[in-house]
Amino acid sequence: IEPTIESIMGISSWIWVLIAIVVAGGLVFVVSALRSNNSRRQSIVKGFTNGLLSILRTGRPVTIILITIAMWACYLAMSYAGFLMLGFEDSYNISLVMAWTVMNIGALGVAVPTPGGIGSYHYVAILTLTGLFSITNSDAAAYAFLTHGAQLILYTVVGFGFVLYLGSGWKLKRFAEMSQSDDNTVSS
């Protein structure tokens, strides 16, 4: 059974067991929360459900879902590009599932409260690559620093661009409104 499971998307059977445990644990939490009298667990499940259903109330659920899928596809491409840039396709049996796994587990590292995910992302990405996919420590560290640095630069440049775009647009509009009000007081 091992070769069959391992050949599915290129990951080992114990990762499939881990995925099954996480999914089963989530289902047990949801079912037990809905059946129990614990208001905190019920409010978590209801809040999550209401959040998902709020997409339907926006009037543009298909657009939101398509943009979300496109966003996740970009994250996946960014994660996979790091493997290609470092030449991992020659040294390791990389796949999109591998990139997806590193991306999602790495997101947990970014969620640790450190400035910009610095240090925590690298640690988690290196552990994931060495522990799950048997990539050498130095190659895993190179991947972690490359992808985090590229993402940090991209987010900074795009963010700065939007600050300029939105900030200057607001200032120009505000300046025009102030000029019109000054004109109105002068003419009266």
Side-chain angles (χ1 to χ4, degrees):
I1 194 165
E2 177 72 25
T4 305
I5 293 175
E6 193 161 328
S7 67
I8 299 173
M9 294 193 246
I11 57 178
S12 67
S13 59
W14 70 273
I15 295 175
W16 285 111
V17 170
L18 182 64
I19 291 169
I21 290 170
V22 169
V23 169
L27 289 173
V28 166
F29 177 80
V30 169
V31 169
S32 68
L34 294 175
R35 289 185 177 179
S36 76
N37 292 331
N38 186 336
S39 61
R40 182 162 189 244
R41 288 189 352 189
Q42 285 179 343
S43 69
I44 290 171
V45 171
K46 287 180 182 175
F48 185 76
T49 304
N50 287 337
L52 287 178
L53 292 177
S54 70
I55 295 170
L56 299 175
R57 294 188 291 267
T58 63
R60 300 186 323 179
V62 174
T63 303
I64 291 172
I65 290 169
L66 290 176
I67 289 172
T68 301
I69 291 169
M71 180 185 70
W72 280 101
C74 288
Y75 284 137
L76 176 61
M78 210 172 355
S79 182
Y80 192 70
F83 292 136
L84 297 177
M85 291 167 74
L86 292 170
F88 283 8
E89 71 274 10
D90 298 332
S91 308
Y92 305 101
N93 187 18
I94 63 167
S95 67
L96 287 175
V97 172
M98 185 175 171
W100 185 263
T101 303
V102 173
M103 177 189 71
N104 283 296
I105 295 174
L108 298 175
V110 173
V112 173
T114 58
I118 296 172
S120 57
Y121 169 78
H122 304 92
Y123 179 73
V124 170
I126 291 168
L127 280 180
T128 302
L129 289 169
T130 56
L132 294 180
F133 303 111
S134 301
I135 292 178
T136 64
N137 206 24
S138 60
D139 283 348
Y143 174 84
F145 281 99
L146 174 74
T147 55
H148 190 253
Q151 290 172 13
L152 198 60
I153 291 168
L154 175 70
Y155 298 152
T156 303
V157 169
V158 170
F160 185 71
F162 271 100
V163 165
L164 290 178
Y165 174 74
L166 295 174
S168 64
W170 178 79
K171 288 178 185 174
L172 291 176
K173 182 189 265 186
R174 187 86 169 131
F175 181 73
E177 290 171 358
M178 289 171 45
S179 296
Q180 286 178 347
S181 67
D182 288 345
D183 290 342
N184 291 341
T185 47
V186 171
S187 62
S188 358

